[in-house]
Amino acid sequence: MLATAESCTGGLIAAACTELAGSSQWFERGFVSYSNAAKTELLGVDAALIARHGAVSEPVVRAMASGALAHAHAQLSLAVTGVAGPSGGSVDKPVGTVWFGWCLPATQPDCAPDHAPLLHSEVRHFAEDGLTTRAQIRAATVQHALTRLAERLAASA
């Protein structure tokens, strides 16, 4: 079962998943944690972590992915947080910066002997790909999140 934790996409990943017939067999729930308060209240992300690193950061997306698992009846999670624009960017985090996090079940005992979920994260800078509008960045985020989830699941099978 999959749980999602979304900030910049506002539920678009959950919508893409539930658009598929039969998704109730593998989609458990989605959290839209658009505000910092929602990240803390819904997912248990430490407010001090957000204050220290910013909402658009690797530590926060990893905490979101872990929090989604902790607050759902799922075995894997996907989280995103980013700057979709057109404003809100900075020199360090320009518009189009999106952090992704995935928690997957440990399949190799030598990788996670305690069977703790494996946590993966990565950043994309979609403006570097020529995507500059809010709609483009959000659509690319959904596509990338689900594509990488499928790739990670295939690799762990």
Side-chain angles (χ1 to χ4, degrees):
M1 296 296 279
L2 171 66
T4 59
E6 302 179 63
S7 186
C8 62
T9 49
L12 292 174
I13 295 170
C17 290
T18 59
E19 191 172 306
L20 302 171
S23 58
S24 62
Q25 298 298 313
W26 51 268
F27 187 83
E28 205 273 326
R29 72 181 70 183
F31 298 93
V32 177
S33 54
Y34 204 74
S35 71
N36 291 345
K39 289 171 183 64
T40 299
E41 294 166 14
L42 295 174
L43 302 170
V45 176
D46 187 345
L49 190 71
I50 297 170
R52 187 167 43 258
H53 299 282
V56 180
S57 65
E58 184 174 24
V60 169
V61 82
R62 291 173 72 89
M64 289 172 65
S66 295
L69 273 190
H71 293 90
H73 304 286
Q75 295 74 44
L76 55 125
S77 67
L78 181 166
V80 296
T81 183
V83 184
S87 61
S90 67
V91 172
D92 292 334
K93 299 172 187 176
V95 170
T97 301
V98 179
W99 275 98
F100 298 83
W102 301 268
C103 275
L104 293 100
T107 56
Q108 305 297 325
D110 56 328
C111 292
D114 59 356
H115 299 288
L118 300 176
L119 186 54
H120 305 274
S121 55
E122 66 183 55
V123 66
R124 287 290 312 268
H125 299 282
F126 289 111
E128 293 174 0
D129 299 333
L131 306 178
T132 57
T133 70
R134 183 175 182 81
Q136 290 172 329
I137 292 165
R138 287 167 40 117
T141 298
V142 171
Q143 181 66 42
H144 183 77
L146 293 172
T147 298
R148 294 290 284 143
L149 175 64
E151 290 170 357
R152 290 187 186 285
L153 287 171
S156 68

